[in-house]
Amino acid sequence: MTSPSSLINPSDSGYDAARMAFDLSDQKPAAVCTPTTVAEVQEAVIYARENGLKLANQATGHVAVALPPLEETLLLKPAIDIEPVINAAEGYARVGAGTRWGPVVNAAGEHGLAAMHGSSPTVGVVGYHLGGGLSFYGRKHGLACNRVRAIEVVTADGEVGRVDHENEPDLFWALRGGGGLFATVTAIEFDLLPLGEVFGGISFWPVELGEEALSAWLDWTRSAPDSVTTSFRFMNLPPLETVPEPIRGKSLVAIDGVAIDHADGEALASLLAGIGEPVLGQWGPMPAPAVSSLHGDPEDPIPAIGNSTLLNDVSDELIGALNEAAGGESGSSLIATELRQLGGALGRPDENGGVANRIDGEFIAFGVGLATDPGTAGKTGEDLARIFESVSPWESGRQFYNFAIAGSTCANCFPEEAIEALRAIRHEYDPEGLYVAPLAL
Ligand SMILES: Cc1cc2nc3c(=O)[nH]c(=O)nc-3n(C[C@H](O)[C@H](O)[C@H](O)COP(=O)(O)OP(=O)(O)OC[C@H]3O[C@@H](n4cnc5c(N)ncnc54)[C@H](O)[C@@H]3O)c2cc1C
């Protein structure tokens, strides 16, 4: 066949721009395709197969670092209909591949609706759903992938399909949490929440209050209502102008979160007020679209490395252990050492859900630090090792797909039974193993 119209080879002038990834990985694919129509995706898939290339789907490149070497791989970066369509009457969104969360959240907000987005507006909507989707509405409404109505795909044979609960339910099941190994997604449709306003906020305290804050928060999580989803962090914020002055360059503890039921949010806010005077903090009613930037994730690329694991049966001993490893006296340089609160609907199986229909853990422990040069990367690595050792007594042995790290596989995320089912589905839809993804199967 002739080359796809959107093909960019290494000798072409646009190659370096086209292969760029948000996470600054120096990925060097055999070629890049940037299709803007479904027909162009089909061309690219067939071209890869006929030329003996593997195929890697990508939107933003937030997790490009976890991909295998791409020298024999066509990097496929679809950007199709990236203006989201909100069907307000039926309460759902239709979003093309390549779209980031920011525009979707704003478009839904104009209709008094909220999407089950994560903590960063720059993450891609398709990749987020394919890895499960953990949002600040999660304890009330479960994983975002369980609210997906339909997924439009081009499969490894170049065929176009629309999968949902009735059509090709096996592929629909695998795509909802199993990642980008099964097909190229061209569009996704998912239910929105009828939420124009929520109660939310964030407070930062001096790191010296770390043990007290962690103790109060952990105690609260044990009987917290499902309407609230929160996060606790030890933070070492960089001295950047983009960071608000009172917290710039400081070591702090932070608690943020969202309550769907305002009374639950007010109760949490008054509990947090008892921890001590925050350096910066505000809780109250807020428009739902503002939730996408509440956590303050960096919106520009920074070189970083991290780790994550799921925790279960957490006891009070974690408070001292984590404070010693990541708190004020620890010497930690990590930008964030985080515990994300799980449980509620996130922990309950959804009968109609995909392979990631729940998260089996009480908390996700997550750590991230700078890797700007070998020196900072080395220090970050030491801090990560010490911090993850400190929480190891409560490790469940599993990871959550969207927070899994380079080198993890699907076997780290799902039980053996689910892995067998995913392998069978992959064999059916991609028998030659065309697709590569951050987590191998
Ligand atoms: C700052 C930050 C904050 C985050 N916060 C959260 C959070 O709150 N909750 C949460 O659940 N996750 C969160 N994540 C994780 C994020 O959801 C995953 O890393 C997700 O895979 C990123 O998708 P992407 O398209 O942006 O990245 P990419 O690197 O472009 O894609 C990731 C993978 O998704 C698959 N993929 C992407 N597009 C397609 C497609 N069109 N067809 C088929 N496969 C495709 C591919 O396998 C690809 O390798 C966060 C990540 C970052 C960097």
Side-chain angles (χ1 to χ4, degrees), residues 57-64 67 78 97 118-120 123-124 126-128 130 133-134 180 183-185 297 340 400 402-403 437-438:
N57 297 303
Q58 194 166 89
T60 65
H62 260 306
V63 277
L67 286 168
S119 59
S120 165
V123 157
V126 168
Y128 171 87
L130 297 189
L134 173 63
T184 300
V185 172
D297 283 349
R340 280 214 192 177
F400 172 54
N402 264 353
F403 281 60

Side-chain angles (χ1 to χ4, degrees), residues 254-267:
I255 295 174
D256 60 339
V258 169
I260 291 171
D261 181 332
H262 288 222
D264 291 335
E266 280 160 15

Side-chain angles (χ1 to χ4, degrees), residues 16 19-29 58 61-67 70 301-304:
D16 278 337
R19 74 186 177 90
M20 272 213 16
F22 184 94
D23 71 4
L24 303 175
S25 294
D26 188 22
Q27 50 183 2
K28 292 198 176 111
Q58 194 166 89
H62 260 306
V63 277
V65 65
L67 286 168
L70 299 182
I302 45 165

Side-chain angles (χ1 to χ4, degrees), residues 164-217:
D164 55 26
H165 286 291
E166 275 77 46
N167 304 297
E168 310 199 54
D170 286 357
L171 181 56
F172 188 51
W173 178 83
L175 286 168
R176 286 177 298 151
L181 274 177
F182 303 89
T184 300
V185 172
T186 55
I188 188 162
E189 290 179 9
F190 49 88
D191 289 332
L192 299 165
L193 302 170
L195 274 181
E197 191 180 78
V198 295
F199 190 101
I202 184 163
S203 291
F204 297 89
W205 296 269
V207 74
E208 292 71 30
L209 287 178
E211 198 159 345
E212 203 175 334
L214 180 52
S215 173
W217 178 76

Side-chain angles (χ1 to χ4, degrees), residues 43-414:
E43 277 178 9
V45 171
I46 292 166
Y47 177 84
R49 239 189 32 228
E50 290 185 350
N51 288 277
L53 296 171
K54 298 279 184 195
L55 203 51
N57 297 303
Q58 194 166 89
T60 65
H62 260 306
V63 277
V65 65
L67 286 168
L70 299 182
E71 279 74 11
E72 304 293 324
T73 300
L74 179 66
L75 183 63
L76 186 55
K77 298 174 88 168
I80 301 171
D81 296 333
I82 56 171
E83 282 300 313
V85 176
I86 307 299
N87 185 327
E90 292 184 39
Y92 75 93
R94 177 188 166 80
V95 175
T99 310
R100 294 168 186 232
W101 268 123
V104 180
V105 166
N106 291 332
E110 284 170 21
H111 299 275
L113 298 166
M116 298 268 287
H117 57 82
S119 59
S120 165
T122 66
V123 157
V125 176
V126 168
Y128 171 87
H129 278 105
L130 297 189
L134 173 63
S135 80
F136 271 126
Y137 308 120
R139 284 171 37 78
K140 179 74 178 173
H141 294 289
L143 283 169
C145 67
N146 293 331
R147 298 180 66 82
V148 172
R149 290 179 161 215
I151 303 178
E152 291 176 14
V153 292
V154 173
T155 39
D157 55 7
E159 294 296 316
V160 175
R162 180 178 162 92
V163 301
D164 55 26
H165 286 291
E166 275 77 46
N167 304 297
E168 310 199 54
D170 286 357
L171 181 56
F172 188 51
W173 178 83
L175 286 168
R176 286 177 298 151
L181 274 177
F182 303 89
T184 300
V185 172
T186 55
I188 188 162
E189 290 179 9
F190 49 88
D191 289 332
L192 299 165
L193 302 170
L195 274 181
E197 191 180 78
V198 295
F199 190 101
I202 184 163
S203 291
F204 297 89
W205 296 269
V207 74
E208 292 71 30
L209 287 178
E211 198 159 345
E212 203 175 334
L214 180 52
S215 173
W217 178 76
L218 195 61
D219 191 43
W220 168 82
T221 62
R222 297 203 165 107
S223 55
D226 289 1
S227 124
V228 197
T229 308
T230 59
S231 149
F232 173 94
R233 281 175 290 175
F234 285 108
M235 304 193 80
N236 296 293
L237 288 166
L240 297 175
E241 295 228 331
T242 46
V243 179
E245 201 281 316
I247 56 171
R248 191 179 301 157
K250 301 257 173 67
S251 295
L252 302 151
V253 277
I255 295 174
D256 60 339
V258 169
I260 291 171
D261 181 332
H262 288 222
D264 291 335
E266 280 160 15
L268 173 63
S270 85
L271 175 104
L272 297 180
I275 290 172
E277 188 63 30
V279 180
L280 187 68
Q282 189 170 6
W283 290 78
M286 61 196 287
V291 174
S292 70
S293 49
L294 176 67
H295 206 56
D297 283 349
E299 294 187 14
D300 294 316
I302 45 165
I305 49 175
N307 196 3
S308 90
T309 190
L310 288 170
L311 306 182
N312 249 332
D313 301 319
V314 166
S315 64
D316 282 351
E317 279 70 45
L318 175 129
I319 300 163
L322 192 60
N323 186 51
E324 198 178 320
E329 307 275 297
S330 67
S332 167
S333 64
L334 295 196
I335 299 170
T337 301
E338 177 169 5
L339 295 176
R340 280 214 192 177
Q341 184 190 8
L342 304 176
L346 288 167
R348 294 192 281 270
D350 182 330
E351 279 178 16
N352 296 314
V355 59
N357 70 6
R358 66 185 285 252
I359 308 184
D360 186 11
E362 290 171 4
F363 300 94
I364 294 181
F366 171 70
V368 65
L370 289 174
T372 27
D373 54 59
T376 52
K379 168 71 174 135
T380 295
E382 282 168 25
D383 290 338
L384 287 170
R386 184 184 65 254
I387 288 164
F388 280 80
E389 176 60 30
S390 79
V391 297
S392 61
W394 302 280
E395 266 189 277
S396 75
R398 285 265 158 73
Q399 292 179 330
F400 172 54
Y401 192 109
N402 264 353
F403 281 60
I405 53 159
S408 299
T409 69
C410 290
N412 297 110
C413 304
F414 304 113

